[in-house]
Amino acid sequence: MSTSTVTSQESGPETADRRLYTAPLVTIRRNGDATTVFLDLPGVDAAGLDISIEEDRLTVTGRKAARSQNGEPVYTEIRDLDYRRVFELAPSIDTTRIGANLKDGVLTLTLPKAEKLKPRKIAVS
Amino acid sequence: MNLIHYRKPERSVWSPFDRLTTLQQEMNRLFEGTFGEGPSNLFGGWNPALDVYQDKDNVTVVVELPGLNKDEIDISIHEGALSISGERKQEAEKDDAETFRSERFFGRFQRSVHLPSAVDHDKVTASYKDGVLTVVLPKSEEAKPRQITVSAS
């Protein structure tokens, strides 16, 4: 088995900016040249999503839309925490062409392999 | 039933159990990171996290169901209990795809909750947005609080 080009840096609740976050659950898959990362972010809309890349670290932060006033809580399991997860990217990933799509609370990140690293044939003139 | 968010107790400065507490917290962190939110079943099931609220007119049930098609969610009410079930399918991939990490749940799920009040079955509405299902169940007239005027005799 080859090694993943994307590795999860941290998992579990963590603090950053003195806020408490929860780590969203992920699936990391590689399909040929592209790596796909799926994150479960229920309750987060496009406005509450922040994806940033700094050097080889990709950080996803998801803020839940303000909980609507539904009355008094009778029973609660949903944690009122925002999401945050950091991934370390292999140098083979082209960070300028990362794609992101958020649908029904699932974020799909597409991380293509850099063109220069793909095998190439060199024509002899 | 009343479930309140767990709050970490204040740690006293000289407690000899400090290290033990820290270790326990670390273990909790570890498991939270692996199994996610809500009470999950270790043996492969998925129990999506669920909230129940009520005010004088409605009972509202909120369930975190990321990545579902709204047609794949079944909602039913029977004898004062609300049941939500469905199936979550994994994203389609080519056969040669390699999985490096797999934490998310797929497959069938079912959650049932006892409703804290009688509701009007015909007026129940449900909406699905950003992976969150919200079911609003208007209370039946008999269940609403009423003012009773005392008549002078």
Side-chain angles (χ1 to χ4, degrees):
Chain A
M1 186 170 147
S2 53
T3 52
S4 176
T5 48
V6 178
T7 43
S8 171
Q9 265 277 297
E10 298 149 42
S11 66
E14 56 169 311
T15 47
D17 330 317
R18 294 191 178 173
R19 283 181 64 91
L20 190 66
Y21 292 93
T22 186
L25 299 180
V26 303
T27 301
I28 302 176
R29 261 195 248 159
R30 191 164 70 192
N31 195 340
D33 282 336
T35 302
T36 315
V37 180
F38 300 95
L39 297 96
D40 279 351
L41 300 166
V44 175
D45 59 13
L49 186 65
D50 188 86
I51 306 163
S52 63
I53 299 166
E54 206 185 319
E55 289 176 20
D56 60 345
R57 283 159 64 93
L58 184 145
T59 306
V60 176
T61 311
R63 292 186 203 291
K64 284 188 184 183
R67 223 181 254 212
S68 55
Q69 289 302 311
N70 298 312
E72 288 293 306
V74 179
Y75 177 73
T76 62
E77 292 170 359
I78 298 172
R79 287 194 285 175
D80 200 10
L81 294 176
D82 293 334
Y83 301 100
R84 184 174 186 268
R85 194 139 178 182
V86 181
F87 301 94
E88 195 179 315
L89 306 180
S92 62
I93 285 171
D94 185 348
T95 51
T96 58
R97 293 192 297 131
I98 292 175
N101 175 46
L102 180 68
K103 187 177 179 286
D104 296 332
V106 177
L107 173 67
T108 307
L109 295 172
T110 326
L111 305 114
K113 195 175 178 181
E115 286 295 333
K116 63 176 183 203
L117 292 159
K118 286 186 184 173
R120 255 185 315 173
K121 270 202 198 297
I122 293 156
V124 181
S125 57
Chain B
M1 199 161 10
N2 219 350
L3 200 82
I4 293 157
H5 279 288
Y6 175 72
R7 276 179 222 285
K8 225 188 312 184
E10 291 289 325
R11 201 201 286 181
S12 74
V13 187
W14 47 271
S15 165
F17 298 110
D18 264 5
R19 282 182 183 274
L20 208 64
T21 316
T22 314
L23 180 68
Q24 196 179 14
Q25 281 165 2
E26 285 301 310
M27 289 305 283
N28 288 344
R29 245 172 68 103
L30 190 72
F31 283 106
E32 274 180 290
T34 315
F35 301 109
E37 298 181 355
S40 344
N41 178 343
L42 283 177
F43 301 98
W46 182 32
N47 285 325
L50 174 152
D51 279 2
V52 182
Y53 302 88
Q54 71 169 334
D55 61 16
K56 65 177 171 50
D57 298 318
N58 300 302
V59 174
T60 308
V61 178
V62 181
V63 197
E64 287 191 332
L65 294 171
L68 261 89
N69 190 325
K70 69 174 168 55
D71 303 324
E72 293 167 344
I73 306 170
D74 290 317
I75 304 165
S76 65
I77 305 167
H78 183 64
E79 289 178 355
L82 174 76
S83 275
I84 295 157
S85 61
E87 185 172 2
R88 187 187 186 193
K89 295 186 182 79
Q90 191 135 7
E91 290 82 3
E93 279 281 353
K94 288 183 201 151
D95 294 338
D96 59 350
E98 266 183 281
T99 302
F100 293 102
R101 207 175 176 103
S102 181
E103 299 167 354
R104 301 183 308 144
F105 295 99
F106 295 98
R108 289 207 64 80
F109 65 88
Q110 186 181 358
R111 295 279 343 237
S112 295
V113 273
H114 179 75
L115 296 168
S117 163
V119 297
D120 191 336
H121 292 206
D122 299 329
K123 290 181 185 157
V124 175
T125 55
S127 61
Y128 182 66
K129 187 177 175 287
D130 300 327
V132 178
L133 176 76
T134 305
V135 186
V136 179
L137 308 108
K139 289 184 180 179
S140 58
E141 286 304 319
E142 304 87 75
K144 285 183 186 175
R146 258 175 309 169
Q147 203 75 37
I148 293 154
T149 45
V150 181
S151 56
S153 57

